[in-house]
Amino acid sequence: MFKRRYLGLAAVGLLAACGAPPEVDESLSSDTLASTESTVIVGSVDWKSSTALTGTQATRANAVGYLSIPAVGSRCTAWLVSDDVLITNNHCIGSATQAKGAKASFNYIDGVASGSRIYYDCSTFIKTWSNLDMTALRCAALNGQKPGQVYGKLTVSSTNAATNASVYVIHQNCDYYSSSGCAPTKKFSPGTIMNANYSSTDASYNADTLGGSSGSPVLSTSTNQVIALHHYGFGGNSSGRGTHNSGVRATLIKSALAEIGL
């Protein structure tokens, strides 16, 4: 069994060793925080910019965003499951206090200048499920439109993915271990399910992520529906490399969403 890799905010020495400073503003030199759980690149980095996507995958990527969490000085990835409900990890935001000031940008992508990024206030805490490492937030409308009316939303699959199924992760990141100060723009990471029943809650996969990808959706390549909520990385070393990543399975996500009327 591989040990989960943590990058706790309180562990200042560890953060310094990993080269991932906490977010204090939106400048490129300070927004590369690995969130409070470490996730990993498996083998060679094979993610690409979301701007290279076309068709349905490009449409689905629109609903994924960069989540700034100033109350705890960090960032994560999040995705829209309705016009105004945003999903991320419990370890990113676990309480209403931590949600204060949270904001999401869905056009934090390559080619868009920092001054042109659009942010939505997503600081309204709805509910968290610590056993699923999942949190739901509500986003306010901007210029009379809710974010899902502009960027669309994702559908959670009613069935779980099988081992060897083709998947992809949409997330906000860059390889800050190799390029310090890089901008965590939206990325597309292809992969496959390694073990559909890796744990009582999770499926494992080999799609590349890093800290900051926490909270991202894992989607089926065949249906383009969410089949897991990404949250952990395993094995490897202190340079963001490891053996596999894992996420909470779709049926558990779907049951949790039903509790809040979705």
Side-chain angles (χ1 to χ4, degrees):
M1 175 70 73
F2 291 98
K3 185 178 180 182
R4 290 175 181 170
R5 302 180 62 247
Y6 291 89
L7 286 179
L9 290 173
V12 177
L14 179 57
L15 281 172
C18 293
E23 178 191 81
V24 293
D25 57 38
E26 295 301 316
S27 67
L28 296 185
S29 62
S30 61
D31 64 0
T32 55
L33 175 72
S35 68
T36 55
E37 302 287 343
S38 178
T39 49
V40 295
I41 290 169
V42 181
S44 300
V45 181
D46 63 356
W47 63 39
K48 61 183 178 181
S49 172
S50 67
T51 58
L53 296 175
T54 60
T56 301
Q57 290 181 337
T59 300
R60 297 296 180 266
N62 288 337
V64 180
Y66 174 102
L67 181 63
S68 174
I69 315 169
V72 293
S74 71
R75 67 172 176 90
C76 279
T77 300
W79 46 280
L80 291 162
V81 72
S82 76
D83 283 344
D84 63 350
V85 176
L86 194 69
I87 301 299
T88 192
N89 286 153
N90 165 273
H91 78 251
C92 295
I93 294 178
S95 66
T97 298
Q98 292 179 352
K100 289 182 179 178
K103 58 182 181 177
S105 173
F106 302 94
N107 73 332
Y108 198 135
I109 59 177
D110 290 322
V112 174
S114 58
S116 298
R117 296 174 195 145
I118 299 169
Y119 283 89
Y120 288 79
D121 177 349
C122 297
S123 61
T124 299
F125 183 81
I126 300 176
K127 186 171 181 175
T128 195
W129 297 263
S130 58
N131 61 318
L132 301 180
D133 197 12
M134 171 175 161
T135 292
L137 306 171
R138 177 158 282 114
C139 302
L142 182 65
N143 298 322
Q145 289 186 299
K146 297 175 181 179
Q149 294 173 314
V150 178
Y151 297 100
K153 53 259 187 186
L154 301 181
T155 300
V156 179
S157 174
S158 59
T159 59
N160 296 320
T163 298
N164 296 322
S166 178
V167 298
Y168 61 98
V169 179
I170 301 294
H171 57 116
Q172 299 283 159
N173 233 320
C174 61
D175 188 4
Y176 44 81
Y177 288 97
S178 298
S179 180
S180 177
C182 60
T185 53
K186 198 176 298 188
K187 299 294 192 299
F188 169 93
S189 291
T192 57
I193 296 292
M194 299 173 72
N195 186 340
N197 296 290
Y198 175 74
S199 72
S200 61
T201 59
D202 282 21
S204 63
Y205 38 87
N206 57 11
D208 291 338
T209 65
L210 277 182
S213 302
S214 293
S216 54
V218 183
L219 297 101
S220 163
T221 302
S222 60
T223 68
N224 294 296
Q225 293 184 332
V226 177
I227 54 85
L229 171 64
H230 172 69
H231 64 151
Y232 286 144
F234 296 81
N237 52 41
S238 60
S239 296
R241 271 58 180 172
T243 58
H244 60 284
N245 289 293
S246 77
V248 177
R249 292 189 291 270
T251 53
L252 297 173
I253 302 170
K254 204 166 184 71
S255 294
L257 292 175
E259 297 175 14
I260 57 173
L262 295 175

